[in-house]
Amino acid sequence: MGYAVVLGEALVDLLDAECDGAPVFRQAIGGGPLNVAVAVARLGGRVQFVGSLGDDVLAGRIRAFLEAAGVGLDGVVTAAVPTALAVATHSGAEPEFRFYGEPPSYGLLTADDLDVGLVEGADVLYCGSVVLLCPAVLAAARRAWATAGALRVFDPNVRPRLLDGPDALAGLRETVAEFAASAHLVKLSAADARLLYPGEPVEGVAAYLRELGAATVVVTLGPDGAVVAAADGDPVRVPAPKVRAVDATGAGDSVMGALVAELLVDGEATDPAEWHRRLAFALRVAGLVCESPGGATAMPTRDEVLRRFTD
């Protein structure tokens, strides 16, 4: 089996919780791409994380966590800044994030920092998330995207609080179109789709991204499952399993991680039915993640998924 490269952010989440009846924040290792990398590793795939980390004790904890999870750090660079924080609050199972840290520790990877050999040797390349709002990392992602002979996977993972007005949203929409045009797989959430393409049904968004050039598009719908548009057929809805959800942090990232892990095992699927099977498995991974608090720490192994969903 080859390996995947995941290019994106790693940071520390502060998750709202309670202690003795008082509101507190619980520290957790986070970042959407970090969650993806951990999910791939937990599901048995080889994966290298590429990005920038700070130089403080929190960055040390991120490194130790990734190493313990089996994620390679050959493409990580260190910047002399504190680790960025994402404060998450909940009105239900879905978290809302506000980010702190200037400059953000995750936004300092440059195109010159990129380990081109590492990217060239990968079987799957993931790019996406909030780092694409950082010009330096966007340039690095573009270089990686152009370099890779790998299957290219993209996830916009939009965070509205980081978008400074309509011009920023328009710029992000252009970036999404740029990467989607040559992607083998695009994954986005229904919330991403609503923000990027207001008024469009998710099936229409999936079809549009395929028209731009994406080979396969997956739109996650939370407890309602996901839509997949593959080959030349109409978009199809795949249901999610029934679970006892307590925290949806990292659920969408786990879908992405599971799909990357499947690409490492079997390569790109050409039959829409095979994509439906892979997506059904990925939704089971996400369901299990939702049954535990946290994001990266909740990523399950393949055996744990098979034991939880036996049918």
Side-chain angles (χ1 to χ4, degrees), residues 80-291:
V81 296
T83 296
L85 303 175
V87 177
T89 54
H90 290 77
S91 56
E94 291 284 347
E96 180 181 345
F97 292 94
R98 178 168 286 187
F99 295 81
Y100 297 85
E102 188 59 43
S105 58
Y106 56 76
L108 302 175
L109 179 80
T110 69
D112 289 339
D113 293 325
L114 186 72
D115 187 334
V116 173
L118 187 69
V119 174
E120 287 178 332
D123 290 83
V124 180
L125 169 67
Y126 163 105
C127 291
S129 201
V130 302
V131 293
L132 299 184
L133 299 175
C134 304
V137 191
L138 177 56
R142 283 172 169 153
R143 185 180 186 190
W145 204 255
T147 299
L151 296 172
R152 293 180 297 276
V153 176
F154 179 72
D155 180 359
N157 196 27
V158 182
R159 296 294 181 231
R161 288 189 179 276
L162 291 175
L163 296 174
D164 187 17
D167 289 344
L169 178 58
L172 178 59
R173 195 177 289 121
E174 290 177 2
T175 300
V176 171
E178 174 190 346
F179 281 82
S182 54
H184 295 88
L185 171 64
V186 175
K187 196 282 296 181
L188 67 164
S189 69
D192 295 337
R194 286 193 297 270
L195 185 66
L196 289 166
Y197 311 105
E200 288 292 328
V202 293
E203 288 86 354
V205 171
Y208 169 70
L209 292 174
R210 287 209 68 245
E211 288 174 6
L212 289 178
T216 300
V217 179
V218 169
V219 185
T220 56
L221 308 173
D224 293 326
V227 166
V228 57
D232 294 324
D234 293 331
V236 174
R237 292 205 175 208
V238 178
K242 301 297 183 183
V243 298
R244 301 175 295 275
V246 297
D247 185 358
T249 304
D253 303 326
S254 73
V255 170
M256 184 83 271
L259 293 175
V260 170
E262 294 292 281
L263 287 172
L264 284 175
V265 173
D266 293 321
E268 187 179 17
T270 56
D271 180 0
E274 175 61 14
W275 275 114
H276 303 163
R277 183 199 66 77
R278 295 184 188 191
L279 183 54
F281 171 73
L283 291 171
R284 291 183 171 194
V285 173
L288 194 49
V289 168
C290 289
E291 292 189 330

Side-chain angles (χ1 to χ4, degrees), residues 34-62:
L34 178 144
N35 292 339
V36 171
V38 172
V40 174
R42 291 281 287 168
L43 291 168
R46 294 174 57 212
V47 58
Q48 291 279 347
F49 182 77
V50 172
S52 58
L53 296 178
D55 63 352
D56 56 8
V57 65
L58 295 179
R61 291 175 183 173
I62 292 172

